Amino acid sequence: MIFLNKKFNINDNLVFGFGDKKIDFQTKNINERFNLLKEIKLNYSIKNANDINIAELNQVHGNTVLSIEEQDIKKFSRKSGLCDADGIFTSLKNYLLCIKTADCIPLLFYDKISETIGAIHCGWRGTYNDILINAKNMLAGYYNLNLENIIVVIGPGICKNCYTVKEDLYQKFINININYKNYFKARQINTKNYNYISEKFEEYLFDLKGLISDILLTLGFRKENIYNINLCNYENDNYFSYRKNKTDSRFVSFIGKL
Ligand SMILES: [Zn+2]
């Protein structure tokens, strides 16, 4: 487990960090939700641990972000099933926002002034479909916050040396912004023969974290508030990777005011 309080000099009322393989947070593993709470109790002095609600989503690689406020708490009770969305925000206490990933990029948001928090699941689809703009609109619009005070943590996810994609994905991104070509590195594939390079089979290495960081800056988040923990789940065996093992397992990223 990685806890980030010390890094940001934030007191123990805010719980935020990243799990690893020790907690398999795939949706059906209900018990792992309790194990996450246990782990948190070991590391934080929490008064009313029973009041903590795990707030999670049925992540669909979309661009929908939701807020949990007094008026919509019912939506998030497990009995009514999980909401289809890929981002979740709250200003309330006792909601531990949880995002599950295994290659995609988890992002955690924390406003230093109001202590509003958020977590999103950001793969190429979400990024392509503007989930970051929706997150910004949630924070700057719905919550009326100044983006300059918001910390964004880029969690464990696939890195620019491991994320191979095909030509069509490259084309999709450069069609929305030609400058996005800077986040794709063409890789020449050698055949059995000798350095024969076929355009047709060319792959790209995609720096999704770099692109996310760039988009965050463009949207108005401050460079000094964007923190990339620089951890590649594909390379690090303490984390699940779908690309590597075709696994259903997921590790958790979490943030909550307790
Ligand atoms: Zn990597």
Side-chain angles (χ1 to χ4, degrees):
M1 300 278 273
I2 298 171
F3 293 105
L4 295 165
N5 295 67
K6 280 204 184 108
K7 162 78 194 160
F8 294 105
N9 204 11
I10 292 171
N11 70 33
D12 273 6
N13 295 337
L14 187 82
V15 168
F16 76 137
F18 303 98
D20 53 30
K21 262 187 184 169
K22 284 181 200 137
I23 296 179
D24 178 356
F25 221 73
Q26 62 175 296
T27 306
K28 66 180 184 191
N29 288 353
I30 303 292
N31 280 340
E32 295 292 58
R33 277 64 188 162
F34 299 108
N35 291 338
L36 174 63
L37 294 178
K38 265 188 222 161
E39 198 68 35
I40 286 170
K41 281 181 223 165
L42 286 176
N43 287 277
Y44 292 84
S45 52
I46 295 166
K47 286 174 207 131
N48 300 313
N50 294 334
D51 294 342
I52 305 172
N53 302 289
I54 298 265
E56 60 178 306
L57 302 163
N58 181 36
Q59 297 169 198
V60 291
H61 294 277
N63 64 5
T64 303
V65 300
L66 303 173
S67 60
I68 311 180
E69 296 304 326
E70 296 292 355
Q71 62 274 16
D72 42 29
I73 282 171
K74 273 187 194 158
K75 272 197 308 205
F76 292 93
S77 72
R78 250 187 179 273
K79 281 172 212 146
S80 57
L82 302 179
C83 296
D84 288 350
D86 291 87
I88 188 165
F89 292 80
T90 191
S91 64
L92 300 179
K93 280 188 174 180
N94 294 328
Y95 283 88
L96 189 67
L97 311 181
C98 291
I99 290 289
K100 302 155 271 204
T101 56
D103 290 333
C104 287
I105 318 298
L107 301 185
L108 301 178
F109 296 84
Y110 169 68
D111 176 50
K112 290 185 267 188
I113 310 298
S114 68
E115 297 198 317
T116 300
I117 54 177
I120 71 173
H121 159 243
C122 201
W124 77 257
R125 284 188 185 82
T127 308
Y128 180 76
N129 291 308
D130 290 337
I131 192 170
L132 293 166
I133 293 179
N134 294 345
K136 175 224 158 157
N137 290 340
M138 177 65 81
L139 290 163
Y142 184 78
Y143 286 104
N144 198 22
L145 303 174
N146 183 346
L147 296 180
E148 295 195 351
N149 300 318
I150 297 175
I151 291 173
V152 190
V153 183
I154 300 173
I158 196 158
C159 85
K160 63 181 176 184
N161 302 318
C162 300
Y163 192 12
T164 55
V165 300
K166 296 279 187 281
E167 171 81 20
D168 59 335
L169 197 77
Y170 168 74
Q171 289 296 343
K172 260 177 184 287
F173 275 92
I174 62 162
N175 282 344
I176 41 175
N177 186 335
I178 187 70
N179 293 323
Y180 290 172
K181 70 179 189 307
N182 298 326
Y183 298 99
F184 291 84
K185 199 156 88 181
R187 190 161 75 168
Q188 298 167 336
I189 296 178
N190 303 334
T191 65
K192 277 181 202 161
N193 302 325
Y194 41 86
N195 294 336
Y196 173 71
I197 294 154
S198 165
E199 289 280 322
K200 206 171 150 193
F201 295 112
E202 213 164 52
E203 281 185 330
Y204 292 80
L205 285 168
F206 181 20
D207 181 8
L208 178 56
K209 289 179 189 175
L211 176 59
I212 288 171
S213 191
D214 183 46
I215 294 172
L216 289 168
L217 285 175
T218 310
L219 292 175
F221 293 90
R222 291 181 79 112
K223 192 168 190 174
E224 61 268 35
N225 288 336
I226 301 171
Y227 175 63
N228 183 350
I229 70 164
N230 272 323
L231 207 156
C232 175
N233 68 304
Y234 189 90
E235 291 171 63
N236 188 321
D237 277 339
N238 293 325
Y239 295 85
F240 300 112
S241 167
Y242 177 76
R243 282 186 158 238
K244 204 167 170 180
N245 307 114
K246 297 282 170 283
T247 176
D248 287 332
S249 297
R250 298 290 181 269
F251 58 86
V252 62
S253 302
F254 54 88
I255 185 161
K257 280 195 291 181
L258 308 178

